[in-house]
Every structure is written in structure tokens, then in C-alpha cells.
Amino acid sequence: MALNKRIQIDVTKLIMSEYNLELINNKLNHFRLRIIGPKDSPYENGEWTINVQLPTDYPYKSPSIGFVNRIYHPNIDFSSGSVCLNVLNQTWTPVYELSNIFETFLPQLLLYPNPNDPLNKEAAKLLQTNPKEFNKKARRITRRYATCYTPSFCKKSTKDHDTEVSDLSEDEESGVDQWSDLDL
């Protein structure tokens, strides 16, 4: 089935922009792109690969997005990378473009987590009870896992994220090491 014109336009805009985008199987309706964590957040300078799948009835139906590499955030499932974001799940409108997701919606979600609507209940509880400790843990996990999942896809980072792994506690290590066994 031929892709709709809106998919072609929105994906072409992303390809022409600053995003590092990789088409999956040379199809415009399935791709991965890289985002950088926003300044002044525990995710600052982290690099995440986001998997995006567009339904054939896009933009009338919202895209499916998920983090490929781990992130510690109340509204993002630690195991699957699924994102709980109302604008994607309930209030999506054809007025939005794909660029809105990566320029506005995801950066805002990373800057202002909502612990009242969690996918990661442990992160939500820590954010509510001890925000300072939440930020500390989110930064540690960002340093450990927020590098591009597919190195050939990502631009070289100026940081060596692996040098700071030693500051994860034993509990955090056991909670996040399981991802290395997943076939993403």
C-alpha cells in the first residue's frame, strides 16, 4: 500500500533537519532517530535512539514511539521503552507534525516528568518522595545507558559514557543490566 503524502512530507522534514535518522527497511513509516537530553535536566547530554512507527492513517492516528535504550523516567517504561504521553495517546490531532514530538513533546516530558501518571512506578515514587535522589539516579542511568543503541547509526559522541558506570550502586546495576540480554 502506498504511503500517504503527509507521511512523506513529515518524514522528509525530519530527514532534512538536524536529526540523525535511519529508515528501517528503507520505509518512511518505520525509522529510528537520535535525540539528546535537554539542558538543565538529569538527562542532559544523554543520547537516546527513538523507534518510530507510523500507522497508514497518520496523521489521523498518532505515531507509535519508544525509547530503544534505557531511561529512568516516571512516564517511560524501563523495560520496554514505551512512552506515556497524553498528546500521543489521547489528545493527538492531525495538526501536529512529527517534528513536534521531537522538538517539543519529548523534551518537555524529560524536563517535566509527571509522577501522577506513571509507567515506571518506582521512578514516580522516588520523584515524589525524594526528588534529589531521583535526579541523582536518573543522571547515573543516563550516563550508563543514554548512548546510541546502534553505534554505526549515531554520530560519535565527545563523551565516553562508559567511564562513569562505576558510580552505579549494586542495586542499580542489577536493575539495569538485564537490558544487555535483550534483543532490541
Side-chain angles (χ1 to χ4, degrees):
M1 176 179 261
L3 290 178
N4 70 46
K5 188 121 177 121
R6 178 66 185 272
I7 289 176
Q8 294 172 350
I9 291 168
D10 281 9
V11 174
T12 300
K13 282 181 183 179
L14 288 176
I15 291 170
M16 303 297 284
S17 71
E18 65 189 52
Y19 296 102
N20 189 356
L21 187 139
E22 171 187 55
L23 297 177
I24 307 298
N25 297 321
N26 291 321
K27 308 245 183 194
L28 291 178
N29 64 338
H30 187 194
F31 58 90
R32 288 183 175 168
L33 62 81
R34 184 179 65 121
I35 65 166
I36 306 296
K39 186 174 172 42
D40 299 325
S41 76
Y43 311 103
E44 185 172 358
N45 296 321
E47 299 176 21
W48 286 272
T49 301
I50 307 297
N51 189 54
V52 181
Q53 292 187 314
L54 302 175
T56 54
D57 50 354
Y58 173 85
Y60 301 102
K61 187 174 177 194
S62 67
S64 173
I65 67 166
F67 282 70
V68 174
N69 46 339
R70 295 234 176 189
I71 184 167
Y72 186 75
H73 190 285
N75 310 111
I76 302 168
D77 185 75
F78 195 68
S79 297
S80 70
S82 295
V83 177
C84 180
L85 185 59
N86 284 341
V87 74
L88 291 175
N89 299 325
Q90 294 149 357
T91 62
W92 179 263
T93 172
V95 172
Y96 297 135
E97 296 180 359
L98 287 174
S99 61
N100 295 124
I101 295 169
F102 307 107
E103 293 171 5
T104 305
F105 304 150
L106 284 180
Q108 289 297 309
L109 183 68
L110 295 178
L111 283 167
Y112 308 106
N114 178 5
N116 297 317
D117 190 18
L119 281 178
N120 182 335
K121 290 181 175 152
E122 188 269 330
K125 183 177 179 184
L126 186 59
L127 178 59
Q128 289 175 320
T129 59
N130 191 341
K132 191 174 185 178
E133 189 59 34
F134 167 83
N135 286 333
K136 188 176 173 184
K137 186 171 184 176
R139 276 192 294 276
R140 286 192 305 259
I141 291 173
T142 295
R143 286 192 302 265
R144 172 133 189 197
Y145 290 98
T147 56
C148 192
Y149 181 71
T150 310
S152 62
F153 163 56
C154 294
K155 296 175 184 173
K156 295 289 183 193
S157 174
T158 57
K159 280 188 162 186
D160 181 6
H161 296 284
D162 293 332
T163 59
E164 301 180 53
V165 170
S166 62
D167 71 344
L168 281 173
S169 73
E170 197 172 299
D171 290 340
E172 290 162 333
E173 288 267 358
S174 65
V176 292
D177 276 347
Q178 62 196 352
W179 257 45
S180 61
D181 298 331
L182 290 178
D183 181 20
L184 300 173

